[in-house]
Amino acid sequence: SPTNKFLHCLLLVHSHNSTRHHDYCVLGAGPAGLQMGHFLSKSQRDYIILERNSGPGSFFNIYPRHRKLISINKIYTGRRNREFNLRHDWNSLLSDRPDLLLQRVSRELYPDADSFPRYLSMYVKELGLKVQYGVDIGKIRASETESPRGRGYILTDQRGLDYTCRVLLVSTGLWDPQKVQFEGSDLVEGYESIPVDPEEYKDQAVLILGKGNSAFETAQSILGRASRIHLYSPSPVRLAWQTHYVGDLRAVNNELLDTYQLKSLDGLVEGGLEDIAIVRNGEDEKKRSGRKKKCRSSGKEKRGKLFLTLSELLDSSDGKNSSKVTATNLPVYHNDNFSLRQPYDRVIRCLGFRFNFSIFDGSARPPSSEGARGRLPGVTAWYEGRGTPDLFVLGTAAHSRDYRSSAGGFVHGFRYTVRAVHRVLELRYHSNSWPSIKLSISQLQSWLLRRVNEASGPYQMFGVLGDIILLRGSHCEYLEEFPLQALPQFSSLSGHQLSKHGLLVLVLQYGLNRTDSLGPGRAESEWTRAWRSNFLHPVLYYYDKLPTERDMRHRPVGWPLPRPKAVHHMIEDFLTEWDGPISHSQPLRRFLEHCLHTDLRAFYAESCFRFSLTNRKPPLFCRQGYLRKHGVVRNRQLWQHAHEAGLMPGGQDSASPDTDPAFPDYLTRAGASVSSAINLDF
Amino acid sequence: MAWFICVVILLLCSKSELCTTGNASKLIEHTAAHFFEKMQSGKMYFIYFGKQVNPTIGLFIEQLEKSADVLEDYGISVAKVNCTNEHIAKYCTGEKLMKKVYLFRGGNVLKSFDTDTVFDVNAIVSHVLFTVLFDEVRYVHTIAELQSVERAAKGKADIVLGHVQVLGLPEHRALMETAFVYGVKYQFVLTTGGPVLTNMGVEDISSLTAGLWFLHCKGASQSQHSDSCPHTALRRALTTLHIYTFLQLMEAPLVSEASVEPSEVNMVHSHLQVPLLFLFSQPHTVALDRVTAQTLAWRLRGQVGLVLIHRESPDVKIPLEYNAAYRLPGEGSEVKYLILNNLEEVIDLFRDESTPEEEEDDDNWATLDVLDDEVAESVYRDRGQSLDMDAVTELTADTFHSAVAESDYTVVLFYVKWDAVSMAFMQSYIEVSESLEDADVSDVELAVLDCGEWTDVCSAQKIRSFPTVRLYRPQEPSQPYQGMLGTESLNRFIMLSRLVSPVLLSSPDEVTSFLEGDMYQRHAAIAPVTVLGLFSSTADAGVPVFKEAAKALRGETMVGLFADRQAEIWAVEYSVTLPAILVSRGPTGQTEAHSLNLSMPDQLVTHIQRALLDTFATVIDGGHSAHLMKVHMDQIQTLKTEIESLKAHQQKEKHYLRAEIQATADALVQSQAALMESRAVNDTVEEGEERDGVTIHARHTCELWNSTSDRQTQHTLPFKCLGSLKNVLVFERKAIFLCPFKMASN
């Protein structure tokens, strides 16, 4: 029973009264908070997740109002690669358990919203995450005493209890409905409170403010009942499948586009929200006008209806008493074909949500973001609040970094940024460098192909998270999923130093040329024109030194990174399988050779033997393989093939002149500056 | 056509007698007396004074001989004076290597050249002619200079402006030869780049290596002070032939008129392999048509000849709908009729021919489409064949752990499909599996795991490179396979891994049997080398270390352990102190002994591995080493051919050559050092023929090397040929020893 639970909570609080200090406080047990909880728990940190409600993911108990999640839960991909499958699972959180996925709760492609909190409860339980429910933090302030470990934060809950934490991780999500103030905005219903039963809208004319997914979702649910649905907002509708941004209108919600364009009384209208006004007709009962007679419908029905008008019309006609609506107050009086001239039974606001800044004291409040209409907190490239050190923002609230461009505001995106933030925390507070893998240079190509073929982080967080390869001569360090915007601070955030050999960055990105997403010529298939790829494809950037903040600020519009020393686009692939020897592997190898100034081809043992005798330094592959007794011995069939291809140097009787191992001739073609500096040192 | 060739021949052979073929060189060798006598004759002489001949000078003299034939056409005799025999003051200096060539006229030196400047026929001819024509060919650099030449020439003569980026190249020669012939008719001007080219409308100055323009100054009136003469560019490569054709075209009238069928028109253009364009004119538009023809002719000058045909003539029977026609050069090529609406169309018509450049670009891409990695290409060529995976177990994340726990030995190949080396090795791997099956080896399971699909397993197993082969035994850490990626060595690894390591031997008889390979005959056949650890007692502190090391060497070689007082017998026999190891190379090979005093297993492993390396002579037995030497010799032969072909290219790339020869010679010496070494270690194997073969070849290599490199470069090499080979032996040893596979011939 609830009282029992409450008592239990009280007991818990009291028994832990003395230990309400934690290294990490995570605010909110939503997907981002739990995701961070998992990483903190895995690294055995002192943490607590504070949640005001009685279960995790309570946002999803209410939203989406019409109870259908639009994040894809694709459980059949034809593959068994877990990492790859996460590319098509937009709801599950990351963990080490192969089966801790949403598909255990729901098999639907678009699951029911209730399944998500259920999944999160399961996640908490199976991973044993420390969540304290029923703690409603109302005030957050920075600790005044500067301790040597940093300043810390003090959180006060509804009972006045304080929680102190060294690091505060804010994953409160977006709860405050976004509102716009205008004349008559009190007549508007909010998405958060509208009835969801379509019958309530029977034969009603509905005006919805907003053209996002919530607006369309609402429209779609009442499509069969409402008489007329108009969607009104400043900007035209953006289709997710055109913009590649999942926050734009998803096709799963867009039935109204059909009814609009197939002339079935619904429609979209663009116009500003600040200068409109909503007036109720019924308030002017005594008014007798010719309009009433003109209307074929009875005056009774017209009464109490809502009209959309412009605030300037109200001001000019009747400055003092705006409650009385006259004909001149309505746009149709001035413009007889004004689109929204007919009255509405309901006006519904579906303008999205904003971050709750109010719980933050001035000392701990991150500023409003520059983008996203100031609805989100402003954060650094590593998601620390601007001006609030040791306070990090996670989850949907951290979307200001990639607002309208990538997936950072959604579970399938922020589960990776949370991991990146955790890696930053590990270095900053525990001196654990960003995990890296040491690879021999001759293995780099295979490894890159492996990542582009399966990695889900760069795939979901395209243009935002990228793999960093630190070149170190004959080997390299491979770091996964680093926040690209933080590249200028790479060393201090990752704990890795750059060598003089420079670095490679592997990013997945869409083409920059906006093309007709379904039109002819939308896909590029010739690898030589890979740079014109439109669909998501891997791009490698090569820098000989770290880009500076200035470089980052002045990068070309739409680019995730500044202009590199060399760039390589891997041709977009219809199946997103980048493993073709001609179209994918070889161009990649040539690019790497160009950057590393060395030959990366593979050779059979016999070729290596010859090179060892005839060259001061045989190719890298021979040095790292053959000369360490690890060469590749041809079998008869392959040997035959290689011979027929004319690639084997000096057969028994003839040597083809163009098989100088040290200088593949396209290196010279790549430009004089390159060929003059073939690097044989590693 | 024939007529045309004749003209060219005449042009080149202005003093006809010289165009005889024959090997007799026109290069005269002068004595001192001869020299002074000739100096008085007033003729021009191009003379080289030399003493010693090194390869560079030798090549120069070769070129000088060739140029003698050419220069004689221009009335210049080429000669050389041997300063060792003759002494001519002033010219025969004291230096050993003389690098000056002089051009004399009537006893006076016109100019002296460095042999580096006049390095080949083209350079000699162009420089000599440039000097001779010094007064006639103007050299300009700035626009002002060119304009002053133009002003002077206006109304008098046309100008031929040539551009060469570098003097002494074939283009320069072609230009100079033309200037020699046409110098009287035209004013020749030479430039080597800069603002003058911009004036000629060249956009990218640096990319233009050579060019030629005809400046029509003769027709231009002198009053036009400011304007330059109109010019036409030669749009082809600068060769004597092209320049000649071009000048002929410039002489031809801009527009010819005719009143016959187009096929009957006979003009100089057809002989010069230039297309003709016909425009058809009617009486009432003839004035306008002439203007059109003129405009077109100016734009197409040098590329196309233009003929205006009067339609009203009764001989002309052209369908009325056509207003133009063209005829491409070549015997019997047809006249093609067209309707043209504007001038650009016409110009485009002829421009099409000059677009193959873009196609070349496409060709470049096409060559990039070819796989240039022999492993990738051979695997790619095999793509039609599907691998028969029945012989191996394909593991998954679900089956991996149970599979490696079940079998006594599970060999797992971790691979990714896009790695060509993985896929190449996969074939050998399957072959091994099949051969094990044939050999009834049942306790070994060969399995593969696709890391592209089962990524979790590979991450958990910390697979960092592809392909990776590991041997799993229940309850034991996995053992990486680090040998050659081929059937034979993998097979050997698997067979040896199945043996306990070390083999504990209990009696001297067992030891003998172990060392001679009788104990494990089946294994000895594939891996004859055995290592035996000798300890005086099982209590020896070194025994556990040795056991540890033996474990690590499992799969690599057979290791035995004999810890008993009787081990002293062997210690005495091989005069080492215990503990020690014996390395036996089977019944036919020798046995070596090494004392041990190492405390760490990994040190011991390295030590044993090094001891194994010394077994070169048996790893590659007599037959193999013979083959190895054959490979060396083939290699030397290849290098020799390479040097020869380099020599042939020398005219072109003189300056790069030296470095290349040196590199080649370097490689040669290295290869030879290896050869010498293989002989050294083979001393025990065979004597006689093979050995002689090596010696002969070694000497041959040195001769070859001596003849191709300068004395100077010889000194820069790290060692002398046949000299301190010892250093190289040590240095190169590694490469040779690590050749544990059979060579191609078998």
Side-chain angles (χ1 to χ4, degrees):
Chain A
S1 73
T3 33
N4 265 348
K5 249 183 199 166
F6 180 69
L7 275 176
H8 177 73
C9 262
L10 271 183
L11 274 174
L12 210 75
V13 167
H14 282 294
S15 61
H16 291 279
N17 205 6
S18 53
T19 57
R20 279 201 309 270
H21 173 85
H22 297 278
D23 283 350
Y24 296 96
C25 290
V26 182
L27 205 51
L34 298 182
Q35 183 67 80
M36 182 50 100
H38 162 65
F39 291 119
L40 290 173
S41 146
K42 193 179 161 193
S43 53
Q44 297 175 329
R45 301 296 165 213
D46 169 23
Y47 77 98
I48 189 76
I49 304 173
L50 301 173
E51 168 59 48
R52 61 175 169 176
N53 290 304
S54 55
S58 51
F59 183 89
F60 295 90
N61 291 330
I62 306 168
Y63 304 110
R65 291 301 312 282
H66 302 92
R67 313 311 291 146
K68 183 158 92 169
L69 295 179
I70 55 172
S71 285
I72 289 173
N73 178 40
K74 192 172 170 66
I75 54 179
Y76 298 108
T77 60
R79 297 279 302 272
R80 293 285 309 275
N81 184 325
R82 277 186 56 210
E83 180 68 19
F84 175 86
N85 286 347
L86 276 175
R87 290 179 169 191
H88 306 290
D89 177 348
W90 292 9
N91 294 289
S92 300
L93 297 182
L94 305 176
S95 71
D96 297 327
R97 307 207 173 184
D99 58 342
L100 195 47
L101 302 172
L102 188 88
Q103 54 179 272
R104 252 170 69 186
V105 178
S106 171
R107 313 283 292 171
E108 297 294 314
L109 179 63
Y110 299 111
D112 180 78
D114 292 329
S115 49
F116 196 60
R118 248 196 349 267
Y119 166 70
L120 293 181
S121 302
M122 187 174 91
Y123 189 83
V124 171
K125 194 173 155 217
E126 294 198 8
L127 296 174
L129 302 183
K130 291 183 216 157
V131 188
Q132 204 163 327
Y133 295 108
V135 179
D136 189 358
I137 299 298
K139 194 179 176 205
I140 297 164
R141 63 185 198 276
S143 157
E144 279 152 26
T145 48
E146 284 277 330
S147 78
R149 303 168 80 195
R151 60 177 193 167
Y153 290 89
I154 302 167
L155 286 60
T156 312
D157 74 359
Q158 74 274 30
R159 284 153 297 197
L161 295 176
D162 281 353
Y163 295 80
T164 59
C165 9
R166 183 178 165 203
V167 180
L168 175 59
L169 302 158
V170 180
S171 51
T172 51
L174 305 180
W175 270 93
D176 286 1
Q178 169 81 0
K179 293 174 185 163
V180 179
Q181 287 307 317
F182 50 80
E183 199 69 55
S185 54
D186 52 320
L187 297 171
V188 173
E189 293 170 85
Y191 171 70
E192 63 279 6
S193 57
I194 50 161
V196 291
D197 181 6
E199 295 301 329
E200 304 236 355
Y201 298 85
K202 206 153 52 182
D203 201 26
Q204 291 189 344
V206 180
L207 176 68
I208 297 175
L209 305 179
K211 286 196 205 95
N213 277 304
S214 61
F216 273 86
E217 166 203 310
T218 307
Q220 187 149 326
S221 82
I222 60 173
L223 214 48
R225 288 293 172 267
S227 62
R228 189 172 74 224
I229 306 168
H230 290 165
L231 268 60
Y232 179 88
S233 75
S235 41
V237 68
R238 278 175 293 250
L239 299 168
W241 56 265
Q242 272 180 342
T243 60
H244 311 298
Y245 174 64
V246 293
D248 287 333
L249 176 60
R250 298 281 308 284
V252 51
N253 278 333
N254 74 2
E255 280 175 29
L256 184 125
L257 295 182
D258 248 26
T259 55
Y260 171 32
Q261 287 299 326
L262 300 180
K263 57 198 186 314
S264 296
L265 297 178
D266 302 320
L268 306 177
V269 178
E270 278 79 59
L273 286 168
E274 273 80 6
D275 39 5
I276 59 162
I278 303 289
V279 291
R280 195 189 285 277
N281 189 351
E283 277 156 27
D284 187 19
E285 280 180 72
K286 287 167 226 165
K287 190 174 161 62
R288 189 191 59 82
S289 75
R291 275 153 61 74
K292 234 178 185 175
K293 283 179 187 167
K294 260 193 261 170
C295 251
R296 245 172 255 153
S297 55
S298 81
K300 239 184 193 173
E301 277 177 31
K302 204 98 205 237
R303 199 165 297 149
K305 294 215 170 186
L306 301 168
F307 282 91
L308 181 122
T309 182
L310 303 172
S311 52
E312 57 181 33
L313 294 180
L314 293 180
D315 293 341
S316 59
S317 65
D318 196 351
K320 281 187 180 175
N321 190 355
S322 58
S323 68
K324 289 202 172 179
V325 184
T326 62
T328 54
N329 290 145
L330 297 179
V332 70
Y333 182 84
H334 309 277
N335 181 3
D336 64 355
N337 71 343
F338 180 67
S339 305
L340 306 176
R341 57 186 178 273
Q342 290 289 350
Y344 296 97
D345 296 296
R346 288 170 185 271
V347 180
I348 301 171
R349 159 175 50 71
C350 298
L351 297 174
F353 298 88
R354 55 185 291 120
F355 183 69
N356 184 0
F357 287 94
S358 69
I359 56 170
F360 295 91
D361 181 85
S363 58
R365 185 184 302 147
S368 290
S369 61
E370 285 162 27
R373 282 176 272 131
R375 295 188 292 132
L376 302 172
V379 291
T380 61
W382 52 98
Y383 301 95
E384 193 165 13
R386 286 192 190 280
T388 56
D390 305 328
L391 183 155
F392 292 82
V393 182
L394 309 175
T396 305
H399 193 27
S400 64
R401 291 304 310 183
D402 60 347
Y403 186 66
R404 279 203 197 296
S405 60
S406 196
F410 312 90
V411 176
H412 67 283
F414 64 61
R415 62 189 182 201
Y416 303 101
T417 48
V418 166
R419 179 156 67 186
V421 169
H422 178 252
R423 285 168 178 167
V424 171
L425 300 178
E426 281 293 301
L427 176 71
R428 194 188 289 178
Y429 305 110
H430 312 284
S431 307
N432 293 329
S433 300
W434 197 283
S436 71
I437 293 172
K438 186 176 166 179
L439 293 173
S440 124
I441 278 288
S442 56
Q443 285 297 320
L444 178 58
Q445 186 194 352
S446 281
W447 205 265
L448 285 169
L449 288 172
R450 184 183 181 189
R451 286 290 291 170
V452 302
N453 280 313
E454 69 174 30
S456 60
Y459 188 87
Q460 305 286 29
M461 287 300 285
F462 56 89
V464 177
L465 296 180
D467 290 358
I468 310 281
I469 300 100
L470 302 173
L471 303 172
R472 303 245 193 269
S474 62
H475 72 277
C476 61
E477 298 274 340
Y478 199 105
L479 284 74
E480 292 177 359
E481 295 165 26
F482 188 82
L484 298 175
Q485 299 301 304
L487 206 56
Q489 288 81 21
F490 174 76
S491 293
S492 61
L493 290 173
S494 71
H496 292 267
Q497 298 302 318
L498 211 67
S499 79
K500 67 174 166 48
H501 298 285
L503 76 160
L504 286 166
V505 184
L506 171 66
V507 187
L508 269 85
Q509 63 185 60
Y510 283 97
L512 293 176
N513 306 320
R514 288 268 176 257
T515 45
D516 182 357
S517 306
L518 301 178
R522 62 184 176 274
E524 189 59 66
S525 57
E526 189 61 41
W527 69 264
T528 53
R529 287 199 295 270
W531 57 278
R532 291 168 59 174
S533 296
N534 294 312
F535 200 65
L536 193 67
H537 63 284
V539 185
L540 280 148
Y541 294 77
Y542 166 65
Y543 298 94
D544 52 353
K545 53 182 189 296
L546 269 186
T548 62
E549 288 211 52
R550 195 180 170 282
D551 294 340
M552 205 49 109
R553 269 198 309 278
H554 292 95
R555 67 185 191 270
V557 180
W559 285 42
L561 286 167
R563 260 181 220 292
K565 206 150 186 262
V567 69
H568 176 67
H569 289 256
M570 289 177 75
I571 181 81
E572 61 185 300
D573 193 79
F574 187 61
L575 302 174
T576 63
E577 283 172 17
W578 287 276
D579 57 2
I582 291 174
S583 300
H584 304 127
S585 297
Q586 178 156 284
L588 172 65
R589 194 202 78 221
R590 286 180 177 146
F591 171 74
L592 295 177
E593 286 174 335
H594 173 92
C595 297
L596 300 164
H597 293 180
T598 195
D599 187 349
L600 292 177
R601 287 180 294 177
F603 295 96
Y604 285 114
E606 299 213 350
S607 304
C608 285
F609 174 63
R610 281 170 199 280
F611 291 143
S612 308
L613 290 179
T614 53
N615 285 270
R616 283 177 228 182
K617 213 148 203 192
L620 188 77
F621 183 84
C622 295
R623 272 179 283 139
Q624 293 191 343
Y626 175 79
L627 288 184
R628 292 179 190 165
K629 271 187 169 176
H630 200 54
V632 189
V633 184
R634 70 341 183 247
N635 78 357
R636 183 162 290 116
Q637 195 177 358
L638 294 176
W639 181 252
Q640 182 89 20
H641 286 313
H643 253 296
E644 282 163 6
L647 282 166
M648 305 299 290
Q652 293 290 335
D653 36 25
S654 71
S656 57
D658 55 356
T659 46
D660 183 345
F663 303 95
D665 63 340
Y666 51 84
L667 278 184
T668 36
R669 216 175 286 159
S673 58
V674 176
S675 61
S676 62
I678 298 283
N679 193 341
L680 297 168
D681 290 341
F682 58 81
Chain B
M1 188 65 202
W3 170 83
F4 163 72
I5 291 167
C6 262
V7 172
V8 176
I9 291 171
L10 275 174
L11 176 78
L12 295 173
C13 313
S14 46
K15 305 266 164 39
S16 58
E17 60 177 83
L18 302 168
C19 282
T20 50
T21 49
N23 293 330
S25 168
K26 301 287 191 303
L27 182 70
I28 313 156
E29 179 140 2
H30 281 314
T31 60
H34 203 171
F35 170 72
F36 289 116
E37 178 193 323
K38 289 288 178 191
M39 283 301 104
Q40 306 307 315
S41 71
K43 270 185 77 179
M44 281 205 272
Y45 281 92
F46 187 61
I47 303 178
Y48 169 70
F49 299 88
K51 212 174 231 167
Q52 282 199 351
V53 177
N54 69 356
T56 325
I57 295 295
L59 282 167
F60 167 72
I61 290 173
E62 244 173 61
Q63 295 296 318
L64 193 68
E65 277 170 13
K66 287 185 191 159
S67 69
D69 301 353
V70 183
L71 282 178
E72 196 152 3
D73 300 347
Y74 301 102
I76 300 156
S77 306
V78 179
K80 70 174 177 191
V81 173
N82 191 341
C83 287
T84 345
N85 307 331
E86 309 291 332
H87 186 77
I88 299 169
K90 215 162 110 187
Y91 303 117
C92 281
T93 52
E95 300 152 16
K96 277 182 184 163
L97 281 176
M98 295 170 61
K99 292 188 148 188
K100 286 274 180 209
V101 203
Y102 299 88
L103 183 66
F104 294 92
R105 178 154 61 188
N108 301 319
V109 177
L110 262 185
K111 196 172 178 185
S112 70
F113 303 90
D114 197 273
T115 52
D116 284 339
T117 319
V118 286
F119 52 89
D120 74 348
V121 185
N122 291 324
I124 293 172
V125 173
S126 56
H127 278 288
V128 167
L129 290 184
F130 194 31
T131 314
V132 171
L133 298 170
F134 187 74
D135 296 331
E136 287 157 46
V137 178
R138 297 281 304 272
Y139 180 84
V140 301
H141 186 72
T142 63
I143 297 172
E145 282 171 340
L146 179 66
Q147 279 171 344
S148 82
V149 179
E150 282 180 80
R151 263 197 300 280
K154 261 180 195 165
K156 291 171 198 149
D158 292 325
I159 298 175
V160 178
L161 169 66
H163 156 66
V164 284
Q165 216 167 38
V166 183
L167 297 181
L169 294 183
E171 290 83 8
H172 186 207
R173 174 180 165 186
L175 196 64
M176 283 305 132
E177 286 181 324
T178 322
F180 194 91
V181 179
Y182 287 103
V184 189
K185 199 165 175 187
Y186 308 112
Q187 171 66 56
F188 277 81
V189 178
L190 182 73
T191 180
T192 50
V196 176
L197 294 185
T198 329
N199 209 30
M200 290 293 124
V202 179
E203 277 165 17
D204 187 6
I205 295 175
S206 54
S207 71
L208 185 77
T209 50
L212 188 110
W213 293 266
F214 193 87
L215 280 61
H216 307 270
C217 288
K218 199 173 180 177
S221 81
Q222 206 144 20
S223 58
Q224 293 169 294
H225 283 297
S226 53
D227 289 344
S228 307
C229 311
H231 63 263
T232 311
L234 168 66
R235 291 174 196 276
R236 301 161 83 180
L238 235 60
T239 63
T240 349
L241 219 85
H242 289 162
I243 300 176
Y244 163 77
T245 318
F246 182 66
L247 293 180
Q248 290 297 307
L249 284 173
M250 292 302 110
E251 284 302 297
L254 200 56
V255 178
S256 322
E257 296 188 18
S259 306
V260 289
E261 283 277 317
S263 50
E264 317 262 299
V265 174
N266 193 9
M267 300 217 357
V268 65
H269 298 87
S270 19
H271 306 297
L272 295 173
Q273 299 290 302
V274 172
L276 279 177
L277 174 70
F278 307 97
L279 296 182
F280 306 126
S281 162
Q282 285 170 19
H284 56 277
T285 58
V286 76
L288 269 174
D289 292 338
R290 276 200 187 114
V291 175
T292 312
Q294 290 272 347
T295 325
L296 260 181
W298 267 112
R299 292 192 56 177
L300 291 170
R301 197 162 195 179
Q303 301 171 74
V304 180
L306 216 117
V307 186
L308 196 66
I309 298 201
H310 298 287
R311 232 190 244 274
E312 74 275 17
S313 156
D315 296 337
V316 182
K317 295 179 190 68
I318 305 152
L320 267 179
E321 67 259 37
Y322 300 116
N323 57 4
Y326 68 92
R327 191 175 77 198
L328 294 177
E331 287 287 329
S333 70
E334 281 179 34
V335 177
K336 295 204 176 87
Y337 292 96
L338 351 135
I339 306 162
L340 289 171
N341 302 317
N342 62 50
L343 296 188
E344 295 307 320
E345 272 181 48
V346 190
I347 287 157
D348 285 346
L349 201 65
F350 296 99
R351 193 160 288 157
D352 278 353
E353 294 173 68
S354 60
T355 45
E357 281 173 25
E358 283 169 30
E359 282 165 31
E360 264 176 42
D361 234 31
D362 289 345
D363 287 348
N364 285 344
W365 284 116
T367 62
L368 289 179
D369 253 348
V370 176
L371 293 177
D372 55 7
D373 179 309
E374 63 189 38
V375 181
E377 171 71 11
S378 56
V379 170
Y380 185 63
R381 283 186 176 230
D382 215 37
R383 65 192 179 282
Q385 310 284 324
S386 56
L387 284 175
D388 176 22
M389 302 288 270
D390 293 346
V392 293
T393 318
E394 286 184 80
L395 296 179
T396 69
D398 309 326
T399 58
F400 176 78
H401 293 284
S402 56
V404 298
E406 271 165 24
S407 279
D408 291 346
Y409 303 94
T410 314
V411 185
V412 184
L413 164 64
F414 298 90
Y415 72 101
V416 283
K417 282 197 292 278
W418 52 82
D419 177 50
V421 177
S422 293
M423 296 320 283
F425 178 55
M426 179 76 82
Q427 302 200 355
S428 308
Y429 194 76
I430 292 170
E431 283 169 25
V432 170
S433 176
E434 283 162 356
S435 77
L436 286 178
E437 240 166 65
D438 295 345
D440 282 333
V441 178
S442 58
D443 55 348
V444 183
E445 195 67 42
L446 259 71
V448 296
L449 188 110
D450 179 0
C451 287
E453 195 65 25
W454 310 107
T455 187
D456 292 356
V457 181
C458 296
S459 304
Q461 296 292 319
K462 295 204 159 43
I463 305 298
R464 296 282 183 263
S465 72
F466 303 106
T468 294
V469 179
R470 285 200 185 148
L471 174 68
Y472 291 84
R473 272 169 294 196
Q475 320 300 331
E476 274 183 69
S478 69
Q479 190 185 351
Y481 168 65
Q482 286 165 328
M484 296 292 284
L485 298 173
T487 33
E488 207 174 307
S489 33
L490 180 64
N491 202 31
R492 186 170 59 231
F493 171 79
I494 292 171
M495 296 309 276
L496 292 180
S497 293
R498 293 167 68 218
L499 289 181
V500 182
S501 187
V503 181
L504 299 175
L505 305 168
S506 52
S507 69
D509 289 346
E510 274 187 6
V511 172
T512 319
S513 144
F514 177 79
L515 287 178
E516 288 179 359
D518 297 337
M519 188 179 272
Y520 296 105
Q521 277 180 342
R522 197 163 151 196
H523 299 97
I526 49 170
V529 187
T530 51
V531 176
L532 175 66
L534 291 173
F535 293 88
S536 55
S537 94
T538 45
D540 192 304
V543 171
V545 178
F546 184 81
K547 280 184 172 170
E548 198 64 29
K551 235 180 208 177
L553 286 166
R554 193 169 177 171
E556 203 167 319
T557 185
M558 274 190 281
V559 183
L561 172 64
F562 185 55
D564 195 281
R565 256 194 317 187
Q566 285 170 294
E568 296 283 355
I569 307 169
W570 279 277
V572 173
E573 189 183 325
Y574 290 102
S575 52
V576 285
T577 53
L578 293 182
I581 53 165
L582 290 186
V583 178
S584 159
R585 306 182 190 297
T588 51
Q590 69 202 113
T591 303
E592 300 147 23
H594 304 266
S595 284
L596 291 180
N597 54 352
L598 300 153
S599 54
M600 300 297 288
D602 49 341
Q603 280 177 317
L604 189 55
V605 169
T606 331
H607 184 78
I608 295 175
Q609 278 170 336
R610 199 170 295 148
L612 289 171
L613 277 186
D614 274 345
T615 62
F616 175 72
T618 45
V619 169
I620 293 169
D621 59 45
H624 287 140
S625 65
H627 178 73
L628 182 65
M629 287 184 191
K630 187 173 170 339
V631 173
H632 282 299
M633 285 158 197
D634 290 345
Q635 203 68 54
I636 289 169
Q637 198 52 47
T638 314
L639 290 169
K640 197 180 150 193
T641 335
E642 239 165 64
I643 291 186
E644 238 120 66
S645 75
L646 282 176
K647 250 177 164 177
H649 279 101
Q650 197 174 23
Q651 283 128 296
K652 257 190 187 169
E653 294 171 54
K654 183 184 183 239
H655 297 286
Y656 307 117
L657 183 75
R658 229 175 270 160
E660 275 187 51
I661 287 195
Q662 187 179 334
T664 322
D666 248 9
L668 248 179
V669 173
Q670 282 190 13
S671 143
Q672 186 214 328
L675 195 66
M676 296 303 289
E677 183 199 15
S678 70
R679 184 180 67 101
V681 281
N682 265 311
D683 269 348
T684 51
V685 182
E686 279 162 288
E687 297 274 330
E689 218 181 279
E690 195 165 280
R691 196 169 173 172
D692 288 340
V694 175
T695 325
I696 288 163
H697 269 273
R699 197 184 304 135
H700 180 73
T701 315
C702 277
E703 278 165 12
L704 184 68
W705 181 51
N706 274 328
S707 69
T708 49
S709 42
D710 288 349
R711 210 163 270 268
Q712 207 186 353
T713 54
Q714 273 178 38
H715 289 301
T716 60
L717 288 175
F719 47 84
K720 277 186 188 167
C721 193
L722 282 181
S724 52
L725 274 174
K726 202 72 193 160
N727 297 333
V728 190
L729 280 178
V730 176
F731 171 71
E732 270 297 305
R733 177 175 236 166
K734 206 173 152 199
I736 295 304
F737 281 139
L738 298 181
C739 181
F741 57 90
K742 282 192 179 172
M743 301 301 299
S745 66
N746 40 19

